[in-house]
Amino acid sequence: MSTKLQNKDAATNPRGIPFAPFVDKVEDYVSSRAEVDGTMKSFQEMISKYQFMEVNTQRRAAGLKEKVPDIQKTLDMVQFLHSREPGSEPLETTFELNDTLYAKAVIPPTDEVYLWLGANVMLAYPVAEAETLLESKLATAQQSLENCEEDLDFLREQITTLEVATARLYNWEVTMKRKEKAGNGGDDEPTDQKRILPNG
C-alpha cells in the first residue's frame, strides 16, 4: 500500500511539493478491508504535512507582503536622489525616526546613500549601485511572494484531494461491510460501522 502511495506522489510542483494521490478507484490502493486503516492513516499523515506546509507558507507570504512595500519605498527614494542634478538646491524634507517621530533634514545632491541590510548593519553604496541592488531585491521578493501564493493554492488543492480520497475510501469500506453482512445473513450490525471521518 505504501509503495502505491509513494508512486502516486512522485510528481511535484516547481518548489518540490508532491502531488497528493488522486483516488479514482479505491481498489488501486487497497485490496481488502484489512488495509483500510493503514491507508486512512497514511492519508491523514499527508493531510497533516500539507497543513503544516500551508501554515509556514502563509507566514512567509505575510512577511513578504510587508517587505515588498518597504523595498519599493526605498527604491523610489533612491531613484529620486539619482535623478537630481549636481549643483541642485538642497532639499528640505522630513524623515521617519520611528512610527510616530519625524525629524527635519536638508539633503544636498549626493552620489552616495546608506542602506540597512538587516541585523543592525548599514552600508554605503553609490546611488546607481544602490538602485540596481534594490531593483534586484524587489524583483526577488515579488517573485517569492508570487511563488508563495501559487504554493498556497496548490496546497489547498492537495488537502481537498486527500479529503475526497478519504471519503471515497470510507464509502468503499461501508459498501464492503454491507456486502459481507448480506453474505453472512445480516445477523449483527458491525460494531465499527460508525467510523468517524476526519474534519474537512
Side-chain angles (χ1 to χ4, degrees):
M1 176 268 300
S2 60
T3 303
K4 295 176 184 177
L5 295 181
Q6 289 170 0
N7 290 339
K8 291 284 184 178
D9 288 349
T12 66
N13 82 340
R15 261 72 61 192
I17 303 174
F19 281 85
F22 177 77
V23 177
D24 185 24
K25 293 177 62 179
V26 174
E27 292 81 0
D28 291 341
Y29 292 86
V30 294
S31 56
S32 68
R33 283 183 53 205
E35 297 181 2
V36 169
D37 286 340
T39 305
M40 283 273 201
K41 183 178 179 182
S42 295
F43 285 167
Q44 289 307 303
E45 288 175 352
M46 284 188 280
I47 289 174
S48 296
K49 290 177 181 177
Y50 282 124
Q51 289 173 334
F52 177 77
M53 286 187 282
E54 182 183 24
V55 170
N56 287 339
T57 304
Q58 286 172 337
R59 289 174 181 168
R60 188 162 65 253
L64 288 166
K65 286 178 181 178
E66 293 180 2
K67 185 178 181 180
V68 167
D70 288 342
I71 298 175
Q72 183 66 65
K73 183 169 64 175
T74 304
L75 176 59
D76 291 342
M77 178 54 66
V78 169
Q79 289 174 332
F80 171 73
L81 293 174
H82 195 192
S83 69
R84 299 190 71 203
E85 297 291 337
S88 300
E89 289 294 322
L91 175 68
E92 183 174 323
T93 186
T94 57
F95 65 94
E96 185 179 357
L97 295 178
N98 62 34
D99 291 340
T100 59
L101 183 61
Y102 290 79
K104 288 185 177 181
V106 176
I107 305 175
T110 181
D111 59 0
E112 186 177 64
V113 295
Y114 291 80
L115 299 179
W116 284 110
L117 301 182
N120 294 323
V121 175
M122 176 181 280
L123 288 180
Y125 288 90
V127 172
E129 187 177 333
E131 185 175 352
T132 301
L133 175 65
L134 289 167
E135 286 173 344
S136 175
K137 285 184 173 292
L138 180 61
T140 300
Q142 288 172 332
Q143 183 61 56
S144 295
L145 179 57
E146 182 178 331
N147 291 344
C148 283
E149 291 172 344
E150 288 179 1
D151 286 346
L152 284 172
D153 288 340
F154 178 81
L155 287 166
R156 294 184 188 109
E157 181 180 329
Q158 305 320 301
I159 291 170
T160 300
T161 297
L162 282 168
E163 289 172 343
V164 171
T166 301
R168 286 180 175 174
L169 185 60
Y170 170 78
N171 290 336
W172 179 87
E173 184 185 23
V174 169
T175 300
M176 293 299 102
K177 286 178 180 178
R178 288 174 179 169
K179 288 181 179 179
E180 290 178 8
K181 179 182 176 182
N184 292 333
D187 294 335
D188 298 321
E189 184 72 16
T191 58
D192 57 344
Q193 178 79 13
K194 298 181 179 179
R195 180 188 299 276
I196 298 176
L197 280 174
N199 293 329

